[in-house]
Structures are given as C-alpha cells and as structure tokens.
Amino acid sequence: MNYFQYNQPFTLEGGQTLPEITIAYHTFGTLNANKGNVVWICHALTANSNVLDWWDGIAGESKIIDPERHFIVCANILGSCYGSTGPLSLNPDTQEPYYTSFPQVTIRDMVKAHILLREHLGLHKIHILAGGSCGGYQVLEWAVAEPEVAENLFVLATSAAESTWGIGIHTTQRLILEADGTWGEPSPTAGSKGLKAARALGTLTYRNYQILAQKQTDPDPEKLDNYRVSSYLNYQGDKLVARFNAYSYWFLTKALDSHNLSRGRGGQLEPVLEKIRQKALIIGISSDILCPVQEQQFLAQHLPNATYVEIDSNFGHDGFIIEGEKITKHFVAWLAEVEDEQLAPNPALPL
C-alpha cells in the first residue's frame, strides 16, 4: 500500500474543510512509455485499494485487467477505514480521532481526492476507468468532472443517482447503527453490534430471494431454531465487524445517498449523461434488487456511446464481483472493438 499526503486544506462539497487528507492506494504493473495503459478501478462500499484481492475474477495475472499489460491503480475512498482519511483518522487540529465529528463526504469529494492522486502520479490519461456499485458512482462522477481524462468507461450494477429505495435501505442501516448502545463512544469498536445487524440487512439486498432459497434453505423441516440462513447472516455480520468500522459505514452510506450527477448541474440527469462522450460498457445483473437493471438501462439510453449488457445471474447485486467469467466474456469483446476503433487511422488525417 502507498500513501499520498495532501498537506493543504481540502474543502468538501458541503462546505466543511478537512485540514489535510491522506489517500491510501495500490498500483500494480508498469506504466508504459506513453502512459497509455492506465486502468483505474474505483472500489465499492467496504472494499479497499487492493483490487487484486477483492476483484480477482477480473483483475490479476492472466485476467482481462492484467498487471503484465496494464498499470492498475485503485485508491481507498475518503471516509473509509483502509488508510484514507476517515472517522478513525487523527484530526490534526485536536490530535484525537474524528469519530462522529468527521464531516460528511460525498461521492464528488471522493472523486476530487482521486483527481489529486492522479495529478500526483503524473497520469494525464486513464485508458479504462472502471467500477461497480459505489465504484460506478465514482466513475460516472469523474467522467463529468474531468471529461477529457478517461478514454473508456466500464461500470457495473450502478446508476446516475442514488434511488429512493437505496436511500431507504441506508437510512434503515444507520438507524440500526445508532440503536447500538455504544454508538457515539470515542472508540474504534463503538457500534460493532449495530454494524453486524446493519450488514445482515445489507446482505439481504446484495443477494435476493432466489439465491437465499437456493443456498440457505434448511433440508430439515423439523427445525425450530438455528436456521441455516440465520447462521449465514450472523457470519456475514461478524466478518464485516472483524475488518471494518461502524463510523465509516455510517458516513459512507451517507455518501452513497449523496450520489446524483445532476446536483448543481441543472437538476436533470439526461442532459448531464448526454455530455459523457466516452465509449462505455454498462453491465447490469438480472437479479439485482439493490441497483436493478432499470438503472443501467437508463444510463445506456442517455450515454451517447454506451454498450449495455445484462448478465443472467442469481447472485443479485454481488454478481458484479462474483460473476467474473461472464463479465470477462463481455468485457473482452467490447474492449477489442473499442481498441480497434481507437487504434484505427483517422481517414481525415494524412498518413
């Protein structure tokens, strides 16, 4: 892991200021001579910057995004607990962790921090800017903020604005966190029980009826307790508590709610999307109930150079991580077509 330290005030979209910020990031592979092989991957809610660890179906040795061919960058988002400035970071003004005093950050703030890192790394172009779910929010926001930087966009299970349904789920999760008796305490373990319960609720939205029925139905009809699905949700909650932080979860779900490409840009999504001119591959997951395919179809309808693919999967929203083989098949075909077009000589130019 690498760290970029920005030792100047960082003004947030909401008007508050962080005295300084740290951005944790990973890079893989080697930048080629013309710096034309950059693949920047934006991660989702509770992931980290080690993309080869959590997206191993897509990125890694001999995968479609390969460090042997690409210079891969992934940065941890503001508000997280994996190295970038967040609620557990020391406030340089008080020399105490922020905890609940951490200011609200937005998707736009996360992208603004990514841009600072891009400039620090001396990268003028991004060949492929990619991300699923919350990572897709960042990709789309970045494409609007810096329209000339990314050459191609690859987004999955994402949308142009957070839905009412998504905001409702996140609100419920925050209510669960706040109901934990330790919430608000100046401790990194505060809210842990609430985080476990909030993750259980989240897991139901990341999956769906079909996959839970298929994978978690008990074979014993005589049971009165200790159901398989209950053990599964407890396990998922415990896993997150062991690796994540409740304050980060609270602030990051707030950031998800803030996602709306049209905010401050006229209030209508369609004209904002129509200004995104890059070639874009948009993938929807047929069984996704958190960010359903209608959201990706809307993107494809209004992005001028979009290709839309719908993957048939029972894995719901998590299909964008799990269905590596199916995603790769479509990504390979799209990328070959895009790169052929971009490498073709322009007939309007002299040879």
Side-chain angles (χ1 to χ4, degrees):
M1 186 182 292
N2 305 286
Y3 297 91
F4 165 56
Q5 187 70 31
Y6 184 72
N7 294 315
Q8 299 180 45
F10 185 85
T11 302
L12 299 164
E13 188 183 0
Q16 292 180 283
T17 299
L18 290 166
E20 61 186 32
I21 60 169
T22 300
I23 302 297
Y25 67 99
H26 278 76
T27 66
F28 304 93
T30 303
L31 195 61
N32 63 15
N34 67 359
K35 299 185 178 181
N37 65 332
V38 178
V39 178
W40 195 302
I41 298 172
C42 299
H43 72 73
L45 180 64
T46 65
N48 55 38
S49 58
N50 186 2
V51 64
L52 301 195
D53 181 48
W54 55 263
W55 215 14
D56 58 352
I58 302 297
E61 186 178 348
S62 301
K63 302 296 171 60
I64 182 59
I65 300 174
D66 189 342
E68 288 297 313
R69 295 181 292 116
H70 301 115
F71 182 66
I72 306 167
V73 185
C74 184
N76 187 222
I77 54 178
L78 283 180
S80 185
C81 54
Y82 286 125
S84 292
T85 298
L88 299 188
S89 303
L90 285 182
N91 180 343
D93 291 341
T94 65
Q95 292 303 307
E96 298 288 342
Y98 285 101
Y99 295 129
T100 56
S101 69
F102 191 71
Q104 181 178 351
V105 297
T106 66
I107 299 297
R108 209 165 287 181
D109 294 323
M110 296 171 184
V111 169
K112 182 179 174 182
H114 290 337
I115 291 170
L116 290 174
L117 175 59
R118 176 191 65 74
E119 293 171 343
H120 169 72
L121 295 174
L123 305 176
H124 305 296
K125 290 287 184 181
I126 297 171
H127 182 49
I128 302 168
L129 184 57
S133 189
C134 168
Y137 295 179
Q138 297 161 61
V139 169
L140 294 169
E141 181 62 47
W142 200 340
V144 176
E146 289 196 313
E148 303 302 321
V149 169
E151 296 173 329
N152 304 288
L153 310 177
F154 173 39
V155 296
L156 312 88
T158 197
S159 66
E162 186 61 82
S163 67
T164 302
W165 168 247
I167 294 171
I169 290 165
H170 302 148
T171 300
T172 305
Q173 290 179 303
R174 290 191 296 273
L175 289 171
I176 292 169
L177 287 167
E178 293 160 7
D180 185 317
T182 65
W183 180 257
E185 293 180 0
S187 165
T189 60
S192 293
K193 289 183 178 179
L195 179 59
K196 177 178 178 177
R199 183 61 164 190
L201 173 63
T203 299
L204 293 176
T205 69
Y206 303 150
R207 298 304 177 91
N208 54 48
Y209 178 95
Q210 294 98 316
I211 196 66
L212 287 180
Q214 178 185 336
K215 298 288 187 181
Q216 304 300 332
T217 297
D218 279 283
D220 181 6
E222 304 302 320
K223 265 193 175 182
L224 294 176
D225 200 358
N226 301 315
Y227 297 101
R228 180 180 291 180
V229 70
S230 302
S231 297
Y232 172 71
L233 292 174
N234 271 284
Y235 169 72
Q236 292 297 331
D238 287 336
K239 268 208 318 182
L240 188 70
V241 169
R243 69 174 180 86
F244 210 70
N245 174 259
Y247 290 130
S248 280
Y249 202 86
W250 193 95
F251 281 101
L252 290 182
T253 59
K254 280 277 189 179
L256 295 183
D257 293 352
S258 79
H259 174 54
N260 191 319
L261 293 179
S262 70
R263 184 176 59 255
R265 297 169 177 146
Q268 296 294 321
L269 289 169
E270 292 87 347
V272 178
L273 291 173
E274 286 163 6
K275 292 178 182 177
I276 298 176
R277 312 300 300 183
Q278 294 95 332
K279 296 280 187 180
L281 175 61
I282 302 166
I283 291 184
I285 309 296
S286 62
S287 57
D288 189 347
I289 62 170
L290 182 60
C291 197
V293 294
Q294 297 96 301
E295 301 281 1
Q296 293 89 63
Q297 290 166 352
F298 179 82
L299 287 174
Q301 182 181 355
H302 296 288
L303 289 175
N305 294 302
T307 298
Y308 173 69
V309 173
E310 188 171 313
I311 289 177
D312 187 23
S313 169
N314 285 335
F315 284 103
H317 190 68
D318 275 353
F320 88 89
I321 294 175
I322 296 170
E323 297 284 13
E325 186 175 339
K326 292 181 180 180
I327 292 167
T328 296
K329 173 186 172 183
H330 296 291
F331 188 26
V332 167
W334 172 79
L335 191 58
E337 181 179 332
V338 163
E339 292 186 338
D340 281 348
E341 286 183 18
Q342 291 174 346
L343 290 173
N346 187 338
L349 297 176
L351 296 176

